[in-house]
Amino acid sequence: MSSDSKWTRVRRSMSLDYGSDLNDLQLDAEDIGGGHTTRSKADAKFLGDYTKEDIWALFREFHALEQFQANGFRDLSIELDDSDPFVSRLIVSDASIQHLPQGDNFLVDCYLRRRPTKLGEFKSYQRCQDQEIKEFMQRALGNRTWQCTFVEWLRMQNPLRGFDATRPQLPGQRHPGLRAGRQVSEMLAFNSIRKHRDGLVNYPEHFHNGFIFSNVGNFFLSPAYEGFYRTLRHDLKRVIEKFSLAEIAWAIESGHVMDTHKHCPLRWSCEEEQIFAASSEMKAYFESAEYIQLVKKHTSAGRFVLDEQHIQLPVST
């Protein structure tokens, strides 16, 4: 069975029906980030398991390599750093960008951390003020330690290309993306299944990050925040279709989306875990009737309003 068909089956199995989605948009998985120095060993392994040859094989299997090459990068290199005992780093670069300043001389920069996690260590649980949800999470998640892989940092970029009308800047971007976001996201998610992890955990820094991750089967650990997110996505669906995800992302970033429940501009928080469920136990949590019911309880159409007069992209320099 090909990786395409395997992933399609996995993604379908994680598709909870909370309403229509905007899955036809062409998106990039950009995140916050920047360049750092690194120490690398010839025998370094990413997450203690993957050699450089393994990473190349995964890029080929999930078609990320094709996307790198489609952007004109054909003299690629991989650097692995396992000098930190807790966090593994993967850098993809190309000979054509090695002369660029630090922070611009890479295509992919990714930090992952494997960490056994108890319920009380999840930020969503720590932040939760709703007693009903806390009690639900205690019943559903509190009886074991969860083996999670945390995406501490992920940035993908094409430093040789500028922003334009077809590739507008998104919040947090230094350069346009590679249009490899879906391939890399699916690679990380599917390999969390292969390695018998419970979940692949992200903290989406901006609305568009959460939007992208949700399109590849990620759900917020807190049903209240999943309901909040679903409401926001529902209320902005028309303007996203009319304008673009980038324009809506900047409107949120600039405080032009109003939260009518709180009578103030929406402030996106990245303190909530958004998780791809890799194990049957974590999947059962998101598919449980109680989780779905609590999501619906915290979903209320018409909460968020965007003044279309404030929709605009930043001026590219």
Side-chain angles (χ1 to χ4, degrees):
M1 184 182 294
S2 70
S3 61
D4 284 340
S5 59
K6 282 186 292 188
W7 177 252
T8 299
R9 176 166 51 82
V10 170
R11 191 164 54 197
R12 279 199 194 119
S13 74
M14 282 300 299
S15 180
L16 306 186
D17 184 15
Y18 295 142
S20 59
D21 285 329
L22 309 178
N23 293 316
D24 56 332
L25 293 177
Q26 296 298 311
L27 307 173
D28 296 305
E30 309 301 339
D31 225 336
I32 59 169
H36 298 276
T37 59
T38 181
R39 294 176 294 164
S40 185
K41 299 182 297 184
D43 60 348
K45 289 187 177 182
F46 190 57
L47 294 173
D49 290 326
Y50 299 98
T51 65
K52 290 183 180 181
E53 291 72 23
D54 295 330
I55 298 296
W56 285 125
L58 288 170
F59 281 151
R60 285 191 291 270
E61 180 181 0
F62 287 89
H63 308 295
L65 184 59
E66 293 177 23
Q67 285 301 113
F68 300 154
Q69 294 172 340
N71 281 272
F73 300 109
R74 300 184 177 276
D75 195 359
L76 296 157
S77 62
I78 286 178
E79 186 174 359
L80 303 179
D81 179 14
D82 62 359
S83 59
D84 187 309
F86 303 107
V87 179
S88 289
R89 186 183 186 191
L90 163 66
I91 302 170
V92 180
S93 189
D94 189 82
S96 64
I97 60 174
Q98 288 299 315
H99 66 286
L100 296 178
Q102 185 175 306
D104 296 328
N105 60 351
F106 67 86
L107 304 177
V108 180
D109 196 2
C110 177
Y111 290 78
L112 296 186
R113 178 196 301 266
R114 283 181 176 170
R115 191 178 80 207
T117 309
K118 293 184 178 296
L119 173 60
E121 297 175 282
F122 286 113
K123 292 182 180 180
S124 297
Y125 181 77
Q126 296 169 0
R127 290 164 51 87
C128 182
Q129 301 296 315
D130 187 304
Q131 191 59 33
E132 181 183 19
I133 288 179
K134 290 202 86 163
E135 291 176 357
F136 161 66
M137 296 176 80
Q138 289 166 1
R139 290 193 303 274
L141 300 171
N143 61 346
R144 57 166 290 185
T145 299
W146 299 89
Q147 303 301 321
C148 295
T149 300
F150 289 79
V151 181
E152 301 284 351
W153 180 292
L154 174 61
R155 172 175 271 189
M156 289 179 278
Q157 62 181 16
N158 183 345
L160 299 183
R161 177 168 181 161
F163 296 109
D164 57 33
T166 64
R167 303 295 292 278
Q169 185 178 11
L170 287 163
Q173 285 187 320
R174 289 167 59 95
H175 304 285
L178 297 163
R179 294 203 183 277
R182 183 174 294 277
Q183 291 88 338
V184 172
S185 297
E186 292 180 353
M187 181 186 81
L188 294 175
F190 193 73
N191 277 279
S192 66
I193 297 174
R194 283 177 173 166
K195 293 299 180 179
H196 308 291
R197 312 300 292 169
D198 286 307
L200 179 70
V201 183
N202 292 285
Y203 293 96
E205 180 74 8
H206 305 281
F207 168 73
H208 66 273
N209 301 130
F211 190 102
I212 292 163
F213 290 134
S214 73
N215 282 352
V216 290
N218 288 242
F219 301 91
F220 286 99
L221 188 65
S222 166
Y225 206 83
E226 180 70 22
F228 163 89
Y229 164 75
R230 291 282 160 174
T231 299
L232 178 61
R233 184 160 170 159
H234 172 274
D235 289 350
L236 298 183
K237 180 177 185 290
R238 183 187 62 80
V239 288
I240 291 174
E241 292 174 336
K242 180 178 179 181
F243 295 95
S244 70
L245 180 63
E247 289 169 305
I248 304 310
W250 281 111
I252 293 173
E253 199 80 5
S254 303
H256 295 309
V257 174
M258 295 299 299
D259 183 340
T260 61
H261 287 193
K262 295 184 177 181
H263 308 288
C264 64
L266 166 68
R267 297 301 178 191
W268 180 265
S269 168
C270 65
E271 297 298 312
E272 300 281 342
E273 290 90 1
Q274 193 178 24
I275 299 177
F276 173 81
S279 69
S280 57
E281 292 85 358
M282 184 64 82
K283 181 180 175 183
Y285 169 77
F286 290 115
E287 291 186 335
S288 68
E290 194 168 1
Y291 178 88
I292 294 173
Q293 186 59 39
L294 285 168
V295 170
K296 291 179 179 178
K297 181 177 179 179
H298 289 270
T299 302
S300 55
R303 174 176 175 176
F304 299 103
V305 178
L306 169 61
D307 185 348
E308 295 184 12
Q309 295 182 21
H310 292 293
I311 295 179
Q312 60 181 356
L313 293 171
V315 177
S316 299
T317 57

